[in-house]
Amino acid sequence: MGVKYNCCPRCGSLRIEETTEKKGTAQYKCCDCRSRFGDENEAKGYADLLVRFLVEIKDVLGNKIFLKLTKSIDDYKYYLKIGRSKGYEGDLDSSFWDELAENLFVECSFHKWNESYFGTMGNYGLVWDMEASFERRHTLSAHGCNSFPVYWEKVVSLILPLLEECEGSDTFIHTLLQDKKC
């Protein structure tokens, strides 16, 4: 049984209908943007081929987080730069990578997100970019300013364990990443 969606990963609409178009597995269609999603085999295909995931988040004050996660043959690495720090490099556990890839595509449907999300400019502007690269050099990206996809908080919660280990990141992370409404 696949993941049960309660909203569209592309537009956030709650008006979705369940269909069983592919061999009895649950599929979903958004009544607003007409996006089809929920194909667990397609999502797992993306998760298996993932070799790099980039996240960049910055605000109008110049605060910035840059995170690059990479996978090579049996090597999992990350590079993290928070604010004006020198940057941190380290090894990832393969189970962390597998969980990230699985959640990113199967639960959060990153491959179905819009390419851009833009909200109104306020006093506190938050600009973000996420990019996933795959074995066959295919790339998916999403970005936005003061607007977030419906599964934004879930994706951020996946990378928080890496960010929280870095010195001096406490208040910066909470200011930039948490309490952002989708």
Side-chain angles (χ1 to χ4, degrees):
M1 213 36 143
V3 174
K4 178 96 174 154
Y5 287 88
N6 59 359
C7 60
C8 175
R10 179 164 283 167
C11 72
S13 172
L14 299 174
R15 295 177 358 115
I16 59 175
E17 60 185 40
E18 186 173 335
T19 62
T20 53
E21 294 176 3
K22 288 189 176 180
K23 299 179 185 174
T25 61
Q27 301 283 304
Y28 302 93
K29 182 176 106 179
C30 177
C31 296
D32 292 333
C33 73
R34 303 250 189 241
S35 174
R36 294 183 183 275
F37 55 94
D39 183 347
E40 194 170 347
N41 292 330
E42 176 189 30
K44 284 185 177 183
Y46 277 103
D48 291 341
L49 295 175
L50 183 68
V51 294
R52 187 179 72 175
F53 186 60
L54 301 173
V55 178
E56 186 174 7
I57 304 167
K58 53 189 169 186
D59 67 9
V60 293
L61 302 174
N63 297 318
K64 181 177 177 179
I65 290 175
F66 176 78
L67 176 64
K68 177 170 75 170
L69 305 163
T70 56
K71 170 189 168 185
S72 55
I73 298 206
D74 279 325
D75 193 25
Y76 305 89
K77 301 262 185 205
Y78 76 92
Y79 173 76
L80 173 64
K81 185 166 175 69
I82 297 179
R84 294 187 174 106
S85 71
K86 63 180 173 74
Y88 303 90
E89 291 183 21
D91 296 324
L92 290 173
D93 189 281
S94 64
S95 62
F96 180 88
W97 179 271
D98 294 340
E99 183 180 338
L100 172 78
E102 181 88 9
N103 285 320
L104 190 62
F105 294 101
V106 176
E107 289 189 28
C108 300
S109 293
F110 182 76
H111 58 293
K112 295 292 183 176
W113 288 12
N114 285 330
E115 189 174 329
S116 58
Y117 295 84
F118 291 104
T120 58
M121 279 305 287
N123 291 337
Y124 187 78
L126 189 66
V127 178
W128 60 273
D129 292 292
M130 291 185 182
E131 181 180 284
S133 300
F134 305 94
E135 286 179 10
R136 297 184 185 116
R137 300 183 193 256
H138 177 69
T139 301
L140 294 173
S141 63
H143 59 274
C145 180
N146 290 338
S147 183
F148 309 91
V150 70
Y151 293 110
W152 166 260
E153 290 177 5
K154 173 76 174 166
V155 171
V156 168
S157 73
L158 296 172
I159 62 172
L160 270 179
L162 287 175
L163 302 177
E164 289 173 343
E165 292 178 6
C166 296
E167 187 178 315
S169 63
D170 299 349
T171 56
F172 184 74
I173 289 169
H174 295 296
T175 303
L176 272 183
L177 302 178
Q178 295 182 337
D179 303 322
K180 302 296 176 210
K181 299 300 175 208
C182 302

